Amino acid sequence: MFLTDRRSVLKGGATLLAAAAAMSSEELLGYARAWAQTAQWKPEAGAKINMLRWKRFVEAEDTAFLKIVDAFQKANNVTINVSNEAYDDVQPKASVAANTGQGLDMVWGLYSLPFLFPSKCTDMTDVADHLAKVNGGWTPSGEAYGKLNGKWIGIPVAATGGLVNYRISAMEKAGHKTFPKDLAGFADLVKAMNKNGAPAGMALGHASGDANGWLHWALWAHGGNLIDKDNKVIINSPETAKALEYVKGLYENFVPGTASWNDSNNNKAFLADQLFLTVNGISVYVAAKKDAPKIAEDMNHAHLPAGLDGKTRELHLGFPILVYNFTKYPQTCKAFTAFMLEPAQFNPWIEAAQGYLSHFLKAYDANPIWTADPKNTPYRDVAATAMTPAGLAQMSEGAAAAIADFVVVDMFANYCTGREDLKTAMATAERSTKRIFR
């Protein structure tokens, strides 16, 4: 029996959530048909949508997503063609479509993708307002990822939390009974683990998720910022210098090769017993539970340490969805976006992702996936610590371009690897950023 009352999923607690997760394809189709009857967006007859999304890291998440796609297609007699690309290939392909006005109707992309070409994005405010009403409202970070000048240019579907994945035994052997919550303690842990032959490692290559995530954290934790609230470039600063020195100290104790890592290298190394601490989504743990249970038993997760001012600021891998304003089927795209985030399928989708997808809509804090396994719980709170790539400023085309160009990542990598000295690394980043924000 399918759930016809969208709000009942939120009000009914774990029992109804479990029922939603157990819905068969036929029951989900029944729900989709009932939803379509009352939805404010009516798909265009015979619509054929081309959608691009990032390749999955958790197979069950992809399976759950395709079930949602299938149910929506059948319920509305439309076609949604989904293509998948690696993280680093999504933005270039999305940009080509934006520049040519063809090829794609919508993209489920990374970080601040809609802000690269806001004039090409459909106004999604009606969808955002509907989802807020149904799901307890948006978190501040969700609004920051979706709105430009009061208008929603994209919908932040979810995020992958970039949190610390570590081996408990290696941490304890390094002299820490609990995971350190301050910068000095974290540096001491990394150094001691390396000394014990159980090294840490975080990407300094062009890893869209991993490298951008932890290196922006390191910059912010020391009081550094790329731009101020008025978009003035302030990267060349004493605070940035402190961050560079701190990261170099970590890098010198990393497993070799991190300067060329992409988003998959650390996963593989961790599961191969070559790496004992990294920053990643929960996908390492999900894979370990399946293929390396002894590693999974010895793993845990934590937020990155607080900054010098005692506040935790993290850059997680947000996944916004955008609809191009040149699509022939805007109502179909809006309807599908809203349908994706309805409780009856978003709750089981989160559960299928096993913590890899965290939410920006407040009601989903109640999903049992976050407490069924205490090792999942830190990922529930991703939205609370998330900042956008703009840092102190509001999201903009410039901030989106800076993260797409790896400005912050390259600054740290150039200094840590010795390609540039400290002053030169900051000056290079400053010049690159000023070209973007001229």
Side-chain angles (χ1 to χ4, degrees):
M1 180 177 179
F2 63 86
L3 299 170
T4 57
D5 181 355
R6 298 192 294 272
R7 291 171 179 80
S8 69
V9 181
L10 296 177
K11 295 178 179 178
T15 301
L16 282 178
L17 291 178
M23 277 198 294
S24 66
S25 296
E26 291 76 16
E27 289 169 331
L28 183 56
L29 176 57
Y31 172 79
R33 285 172 173 157
W35 185 88
Q37 292 295 316
T38 59
Q40 66 188 88
W41 306 278
K42 303 302 179 184
E44 295 85 357
K48 293 184 178 180
I49 301 299
N50 290 320
M51 177 183 177
L52 173 66
R53 69 156 283 183
W54 43 274
K55 282 185 178 178
R56 51 89 173 159
F57 272 71
V58 176
E59 184 175 359
E61 176 274 313
D62 189 49
T63 300
F65 172 71
L66 292 176
K67 280 182 66 177
I68 294 170
V69 172
D70 184 61
F72 183 85
Q73 290 184 118
K74 292 176 179 176
N76 293 280
N77 195 27
V78 298
T79 301
I80 300 179
N81 298 310
V82 180
S83 57
N84 300 271
E85 294 289 347
Y87 280 173
D88 296 337
D89 294 327
V90 172
Q91 182 263 320
K93 289 185 179 295
S95 295
V96 169
N99 291 331
T100 62
Q102 59 186 2
L104 295 170
D105 298 278
M106 56 195 309
V107 179
W108 190 23
L110 282 64
Y111 288 124
S112 42
L113 185 66
F115 293 86
L116 283 174
F117 25 79
S119 65
K120 301 296 180 67
C121 296
T122 295
D123 185 349
M124 300 291 281
T125 303
D126 52 348
V127 176
D129 289 348
H130 162 78
L131 291 170
K133 184 178 180 180
V134 173
N135 299 297
W138 292 97
T139 61
S141 58
E143 291 198 17
Y145 264 111
K147 293 173 74 173
L148 177 64
N149 298 326
K151 180 177 74 174
W152 289 79
I153 61 172
I155 299 296
V157 177
T160 285
L163 302 182
V164 183
N165 290 230
Y166 65 93
R167 295 282 291 272
I168 300 168
S169 60
M171 177 190 71
E172 292 178 344
K173 187 178 179 181
H176 290 261
K177 292 183 179 180
T178 59
F179 191 82
K181 297 184 182 298
D182 64 288
L183 293 168
F186 185 59
D188 178 76
L189 173 62
V190 170
K191 184 177 181 179
M193 288 178 65
N194 186 44
K195 185 177 180 180
N196 290 340
M202 281 95 87
L204 280 91
H206 281 191
S208 294
D210 296 345
N212 270 312
W214 84 273
L215 290 172
H216 277 79
W217 159 79
L219 178 65
W220 295 332
H222 289 85
N225 283 279
L226 190 69
I227 51 177
D228 68 11
K229 62 182 179 63
D230 298 315
N231 288 332
K232 179 183 177 182
V233 178
I234 57 171
I235 187 65
N236 197 335
S237 70
E239 292 80 11
T240 300
K242 291 178 183 178
L244 284 163
E245 293 284 18
Y246 181 83
V247 169
K248 187 173 184 180
L250 298 179
Y251 174 75
E252 289 171 347
N253 288 281
F254 282 175
V255 65
T258 58
S260 61
W261 276 6
N262 60 27
D263 281 297
S264 64
N265 290 102
N266 60 338
N267 298 53
K268 295 173 182 176
F270 201 105
L271 294 169
D273 261 333
Q274 299 167 354
L275 183 66
F276 298 81
L277 184 153
T278 193
V279 173
N280 203 70
I282 206 171
S283 53
V284 175
Y285 182 53
V286 172
K289 286 190 290 184
K290 179 181 177 183
D291 301 322
K294 289 185 178 180
I295 292 179
E297 185 178 352
D298 188 36
M299 280 184 68
N300 209 344
H301 307 104
H303 284 270
L304 284 155
L308 294 175
D309 62 357
K311 296 181 180 180
T312 300
R313 302 175 182 85
E314 296 171 324
L315 179 64
H316 302 294
L317 183 54
F319 292 121
I321 196 165
L322 66 89
V323 175
Y324 290 111
N325 58 13
F326 50 78
T327 180
K328 297 178 181 178
Y329 311 109
Q331 292 300 302
T332 306
C333 293
K334 285 189 172 188
F336 177 66
T337 302
F339 183 70
M340 286 171 64
L341 284 153
E342 290 287 354
Q345 58 272 349
F346 193 72
N347 271 308
W349 186 11
I350 287 180
E351 292 175 29
Q354 300 172 71
Y356 186 70
L357 294 182
S358 300
H359 50 278
F360 288 108
L361 285 160
K362 296 176 183 178
Y364 293 118
D365 277 354
N367 191 295
I369 191 67
W370 306 122
T371 51
D373 180 346
K375 294 181 180 181
N376 295 348
T377 306
Y379 287 90
R380 177 192 60 197
D381 303 321
V382 161
T385 60
M387 292 179 63
T388 73
L392 297 174
Q394 292 185 342
M395 269 308 304
S396 64
E397 290 181 67
I403 194 168
D405 290 347
F406 294 97
V407 172
V408 169
V409 171
D410 286 346
M411 178 185 69
F412 279 101
N414 288 340
Y415 179 57
C416 290
T417 60
R419 289 193 291 265
E420 295 179 341
D421 62 25
L422 189 144
K423 290 185 178 180
T424 305
M426 289 194 296
T428 299
E430 183 180 39
R431 285 195 300 273
S432 297
T433 310
K434 284 184 174 179
R435 283 196 294 269
I436 295 170
F437 285 91
R438 57 177 177 235

